[in-house]
Amino acid sequence: MRSTPSITNALTIDVEDYFQVSAFAPYIERGAWDSRECRVERNVERILAMLQENKTHATFFTLGWIAERYPALVRRIVDGGHELASHGYGHERVSDLSEAAFFNDIHRAKALLEDIAGTCVHGYRAPSFSIGAGNLWALDALQRAGYRYSSSIYPIQHDHYGMPDAPRFAHQIRDGLIEVPPTTLRMFNRNLPSSGGGYFRLFPYALSRWMLRQVNRQDSSPAVFYFHPWEMDVGQPRVQGIGFKTRFRHYVNIGRMEQRL
């Protein structure tokens, strides 16, 4: 997505399947993942076709768990000219891990992705943007693991994540480590989420487009947009027994997502 000749926005995809989202963790045991219908391969293939048709490249933050089971898919991402990055191995929130466990997760994922793809992995995005004020030690772990950038700190107020006082645009956060936050629009003395995901499905399309263009024009800065492959999958199995808020956030406007993209 491009707004002006001088600014190129970043399109990013978090490669995980519907049953791996953090909101479903209380309802789907991690040990049951292998027994679930995995739909990520077909959904990523659709995304790759869309990108090729529109001559667009993206960054794919990919789970090591997915890469281990679908190595050919990882290679197709790289062969398509896209950037391969890490989403960790098992989609565990950083806030739920010790520093040692987190380091093991990100080191394992990086090594696995690089071995499969035959290319260096420089970037990392925390599941559910779960790096914040309470666990900034994670940045030191990323630095030690050899990552060059992170896109893990969302500068908004949210009930599950966010660090509203964090810088809104890319900045060096550790020696040799850049933080590239998801995009927000500054309005009404607060940061409004403007970078995709569930908000892109919830907001009218025209509003999302306007917010991204405002960031380009008002801040003279590129935007970072993200989504998940399951967000365009109307045929995904419905998870039973979940609360209203979780059900609404996960399923709202999934049928409109592909057209909007």
Side-chain angles (χ1 to χ4, degrees):
M1 56 182 180
R2 296 177 174 84
S3 261
T4 70
S6 59
I7 293 179
T8 300
N9 296 314
L11 178 62
T12 69
I13 296 104
D14 292 357
V15 182
E16 63 195 59
D17 218 331
Y18 68 96
F19 54 82
Q20 297 172 314
V21 300
S22 296
F24 286 166
Y27 309 98
I28 300 175
E29 293 185 6
R30 185 173 298 272
W33 281 5
D34 275 316
S35 65
R36 291 270 172 172
E37 178 190 356
C38 202
R39 301 173 62 87
V40 68
E41 187 174 31
R42 74 190 77 180
N43 291 330
V44 171
E45 291 288 4
R46 287 166 64 195
I47 293 167
L48 289 172
M50 291 171 61
L51 295 176
Q52 182 177 16
E53 181 181 351
N54 289 278
K55 297 180 174 59
T56 300
H57 291 98
T59 296
F60 286 76
F61 291 97
T62 305
L63 282 182
W65 190 96
I66 295 292
E68 202 167 49
R69 288 156 177 79
Y70 300 98
L73 182 64
V74 171
R75 287 189 283 269
R76 285 196 290 275
I77 289 171
V78 174
D79 290 345
H82 306 289
E83 181 188 13
L84 180 66
S86 169
H87 201 30
Y89 179 82
H91 207 263
E92 295 181 90
R93 291 171 59 90
V94 184
S95 49
D96 293 337
L97 298 173
S98 67
E99 185 170 357
F102 174 66
F103 180 83
N104 289 338
D105 179 270
I106 60 175
H107 183 270
R108 178 185 184 186
K110 188 175 191 295
L112 178 63
L113 291 167
E114 290 179 340
D115 184 58
I116 291 172
T119 187
C120 291
V121 168
H122 299 301
Y124 169 80
R125 175 172 285 159
S128 302
F129 302 108
S130 51
I131 297 179
N135 57 1
L136 293 177
W137 47 258
L139 301 171
D140 301 313
L142 288 168
Q143 183 187 43
R144 294 199 311 274
Y147 289 92
R148 293 174 57 183
Y149 76 88
S150 162
S151 183
S152 304
I153 301 176
Y154 207 159
I156 62 169
Q157 188 71 48
H158 190 278
D159 56 344
H160 291 307
Y161 54 77
M163 189 175 170
D165 295 331
R168 293 175 53 227
F169 299 107
H171 58 285
Q172 182 168 306
I173 200 164
R174 292 290 187 274
D175 185 27
L177 183 70
I178 304 296
E179 175 64 29
V180 187
T183 294
T184 58
L185 177 65
R186 187 70 179 174
M187 289 185 67
F188 312 119
N189 293 318
R190 63 182 298 178
N191 298 336
L192 303 181
S194 313
S195 54
Y199 295 106
F200 184 64
R201 290 183 282 115
L202 177 62
F203 294 161
Y205 171 74
L207 175 60
S208 293
R209 183 177 59 183
W210 177 83
M211 294 173 82
L212 290 168
R213 289 180 175 177
Q214 279 295 103
V215 171
N216 292 157
R217 295 166 180 166
Q218 176 178 296
D219 299 295
S220 300
S221 294
V224 177
F225 184 90
Y226 81 97
F227 70 99
H228 306 86
W230 57 260
E231 289 187 279
M232 52 186 283
D233 183 7
V234 295
Q236 65 184 272
R238 295 288 173 132
V239 178
Q240 303 301 314
I242 60 178
F244 172 79
K245 182 188 288 188
T246 298
R247 183 168 61 252
F248 177 79
R249 284 177 169 175
H250 188 88
Y251 297 113
V252 64
N253 287 334
I254 280 182
R256 300 180 180 180
M257 187 66 172
E258 185 167 358
Q259 181 182 3
R260 290 181 176 187
L261 288 172

